[in-house]
């Protein structure tokens, strides 16, 4: 299949994309960033939410959707933002590529890169060393500023850590040939990191023109010889007819992972996500959690979204051609009205080291679906092979006695 897209010339312009970070909501307010060399982005807001009763930090509680004090248990409701739909409105893709988005859509943060997996980790002012939540590698604070597009929406955690641990333990406990240390890890219910993972969503209107062939199946009676006897049989044939036509489709919220810190095959397998539960972005939802910044830039994400559109449009073309068989010659697609938004989706993450290698497990923070990497125990596999060999030898022995 040949699929060609004809976007606006603006869509082909270069888009300078900086490095990004994992945002940690600090326990104490960080100093305001120096914006002397950053005239196009707003400073990062101070994301600290002190308890109204004792002054300790609030943490977002997935069980009831409130802010709960980790010290005294006092709860505070999260105020709903007015004009919910307006605050989740899409942003114009062309404006983003031309770097002409409103200043309020941008922010500046300070980050450090993990030396192992390249995740971008932000430290609070008083923290100088930590462990990367993605690969358990020690990370030491450095300096560095990054400018990026603010999140538009957030899907709040619906699953508490205990429920995520239970889901992961059940998944790990069912793995064949897993090392004993891994199952012990699951049994102890080791701490998990709650992380908001960055995604892009894309909307687009597409109109496609195609050429191809429609195949109609028919049958002919054929005679043949079988051991000197004349017989007949029905043979399938296809009659091909040239066709052309048009199809149109509006794509809504094509979801593209904007992180490279986790294996894409695992995060993709965490779907589906109920995006109707998205809330307008408020830092309060991040209280007590981390939020990774995107490293797949907007234009790279758009290319992945276009690949998805091409596959769907090809299916639309086959349906429009009709008949019993279809052949697609060409597809020429005009893409317009491209918009996007940056959103954060909830993932519980655990990292386990076995023989010097890191293994990661992820749990969908909305549904509890589990995916992850896993090590194998050489001795368990060798033992299983030996048992099978013994069993086959016994069967062969008794068979020979008969």
């Amino acid at each position: 299949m040949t699929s060609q897209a004809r976007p606006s010339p603006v869509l082909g312009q270069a888009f300078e994309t900086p490095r990004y970070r994992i945002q940690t909501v600090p326990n104490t307010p960080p100093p305001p960033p120096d914006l002397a060399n950053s005239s196009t982005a707003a400073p990062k807001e101070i994301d600290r939410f002190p308890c109204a009763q004792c002054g300790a930090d609030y943490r977002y509680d997935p069980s009831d959707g409130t802010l709960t004090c980790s010290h005294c248990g006092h709860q505070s409701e999260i105020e709903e933002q007015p004009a919910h739909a307006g605050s989740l409105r899409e942003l114009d893709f062309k404006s983003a590529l031309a770097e002409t988005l409103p200043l309020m859509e941008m922010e500046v943060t300070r980050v450090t890169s993990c030396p192992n997996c390249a995740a971008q980790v932000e430290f609070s002012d008083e923290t100088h060393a930590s462990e990367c939540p993605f690969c358990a590698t020690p990370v030491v604070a450095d300096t560095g500023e990054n400018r990026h597009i603010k999140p538009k929406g957030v899907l709040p955690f619906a699953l508490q850590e205990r429920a995520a641990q239970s889901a992961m333990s059940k998944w790990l406990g069912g793995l064949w040939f897993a090392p004993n240390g891994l199952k012990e890890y699951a049994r102890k219910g080791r701490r998990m990191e709650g992380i908001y993972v960055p995604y892009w969503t894309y909307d687009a209107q597409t109109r496609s023109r195609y050429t191809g062939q429609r195949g109609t199946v028919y049958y002919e009676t054929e005679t043949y010889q079988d051991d000197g006897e004349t017989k007949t049989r029905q043979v399938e044939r296809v009659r091909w007819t040239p066709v052309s036509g048009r199809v149109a489709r509006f794509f809504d919220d094509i979801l593209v992972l904007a992180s490279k810190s986790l294996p894409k095959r695992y995060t993709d397998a965490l779907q589906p996500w109920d995006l109707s539960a998205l809330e307008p972005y408020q830092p309060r939802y991040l209280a007590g959690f981390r939020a990774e910044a995107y490293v797949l830039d907007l234009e790279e994400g758009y290319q992945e979204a276009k690949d998805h559109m091409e596959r769907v449009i090809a299916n639309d073309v086959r349906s429009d051609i009709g008949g019993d068989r279809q052949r697609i010659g060409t597809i020429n697609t005009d893409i317009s009205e491209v918009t996007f938004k940056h959103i954060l989706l909830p993932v519980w993450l655990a990292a386990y080291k076995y023989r010097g290698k890191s293994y990661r497990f992820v749990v969908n923070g909305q549904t509890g679906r589990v995916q992850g990497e896993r090590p194998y125990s050489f001795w368990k596999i060798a033992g299983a092979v030996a048992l099978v060999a013994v069993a086959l030898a016994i069967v062969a022995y008794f068979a020979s006695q008969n």
Side-chain angles (χ1 to χ4, degrees):
M1 181 195 74
T2 301
S3 179
Q4 299 177 351
R6 193 176 65 200
S8 167
V10 178
L11 303 187
Q13 293 180 356
F15 182 40
E16 181 179 355
T17 306
R19 297 163 54 242
Y20 298 107
R21 74 351 177 188
I22 295 173
Q23 172 184 342
T24 304
V25 178
N27 292 325
T28 58
D34 179 11
L35 297 182
N37 298 318
S38 180
S39 59
T40 58
K44 184 180 184 300
E45 299 172 358
I46 295 175
D47 300 334
R48 181 175 184 262
F49 307 101
C51 173
Q53 187 164 292
C54 72
D57 286 334
Y58 280 125
R59 178 186 177 91
Y60 178 74
D61 186 351
S63 65
D64 55 15
T66 64
L67 293 177
T68 302
C69 178
S70 56
H71 179 69
C72 71
H74 182 262
Q75 291 185 318
S76 174
E77 297 289 336
I78 295 181
E79 296 181 4
E80 292 188 8
Q81 292 186 357
H84 180 115
S87 56
L88 277 174
R89 70 184 184 281
E90 310 285 329
L91 297 176
D92 182 64
F93 183 66
K94 293 180 183 179
S95 297
L97 294 189
E99 301 187 23
T100 57
L101 286 177
L103 298 185
M104 62 181 295
E105 304 296 346
M106 311 298 294
E107 70 177 0
V108 172
T109 56
R110 297 180 181 275
V111 302
T112 295
S113 179
C114 171
N116 183 48
C117 71
Q120 304 297 297
V121 184
E122 179 186 350
F123 291 91
S124 57
D125 189 49
E126 73 282 357
T127 304
H128 301 285
S130 184
E131 187 178 81
C132 176
F134 291 96
C135 66
T137 299
V139 180
V140 179
D142 197 352
T143 59
E145 285 190 349
N146 290 299
R147 170 183 175 273
H148 64 267
I149 300 170
K150 287 182 180 178
K152 263 295 181 185
V154 57
L155 188 61
F157 274 88
L159 209 66
Q160 290 182 300
E161 182 180 3
R162 186 176 302 174
Q165 287 173 337
S166 176
M168 187 186 73
S169 295
K170 183 178 179 181
W171 182 79
L172 292 176
L175 295 178
W176 285 72
F177 306 122
N180 290 332
L182 183 61
K183 297 198 174 185
E184 181 67 14
Y185 177 97
R187 188 184 65 80
K188 287 183 177 180
R190 297 288 295 275
R191 178 169 174 76
M192 303 184 73
E193 289 277 0
I195 296 178
Y196 283 102
V197 178
Y199 282 80
W200 299 112
T201 72
Y202 297 89
D203 293 0
Q205 179 65 58
T206 63
R207 296 174 178 85
S208 305
R209 300 174 302 281
Y210 70 85
T211 62
Q213 294 179 306
R214 178 188 301 115
T216 303
V217 174
Y218 66 98
Y219 294 89
E220 292 182 342
T221 301
E222 181 182 81
T223 59
Y224 67 99
Q225 297 292 319
D226 183 13
D227 291 334
E229 182 181 354
T230 301
K231 296 183 179 180
T232 61
R233 59 189 173 194
Q234 295 293 305
V235 179
E236 181 182 285
R237 308 290 187 195
V238 180
R239 182 180 296 110
W240 294 101
T241 305
V243 295
S244 62
R246 299 171 181 265
V247 295
R249 175 181 284 269
F250 178 75
F251 288 90
D252 182 37
D253 283 346
I254 300 174
L255 195 62
V256 176
L257 175 68
S259 167
K260 295 181 181 178
S261 302
L262 294 172
K264 190 175 186 300
R265 64 185 181 276
Y266 297 133
T267 50
D268 283 352
L270 292 180
Q271 297 188 45
W273 300 91
D274 180 11
L275 297 186
S276 67
L278 275 172
E279 295 287 344
Y281 175 75
Q282 293 189 61
R284 288 172 176 81
Y285 289 114
L286 275 59
F289 296 94
R290 298 187 181 213
E292 185 193 4
Y294 59 86
V295 291
L296 184 81
D297 70 40
L298 184 64
E299 196 166 20
E300 288 178 302
Y302 176 65
Q303 293 303 316
E304 189 171 325
K306 280 178 60 179
D307 291 342
H308 171 80
M309 286 188 274
E310 288 182 358
R311 292 191 294 269
V312 174
I313 290 170
N315 287 333
D316 289 346
V317 167
R318 292 187 184 93
S319 178
D320 198 63
I321 289 175
D324 302 311
R325 308 283 170 80
Q326 302 85 33
R327 288 175 176 170
I328 297 177
T330 62
I331 301 177
N332 294 286
T333 299
D334 291 325
I335 305 176
S336 60
E337 303 171 38
V338 181
T339 58
F340 75 96
K341 61 181 178 290
H342 171 208
I343 64 173
L344 302 175
L345 301 184
V347 171
W348 286 104
L349 170 69
Y352 168 82
K353 280 199 170 183
Y354 178 70
R355 295 192 172 184
K357 184 177 179 181
S358 294
Y359 297 88
R360 293 162 292 182
F361 318 111
V362 289
V363 181
N364 184 315
Q366 184 185 45
T367 65
R369 185 178 178 87
V370 183
Q371 294 292 320
E373 302 165 309
R374 51 83 47 89
Y376 289 88
S377 170
F378 169 80
W379 297 110
K380 287 187 176 182
I381 294 175
V385 171
L387 286 174
V388 170
V390 170
L392 291 176
I394 293 174
V395 170
Y397 172 77
F398 284 107
S400 65
Q401 298 303 309
N402 296 328

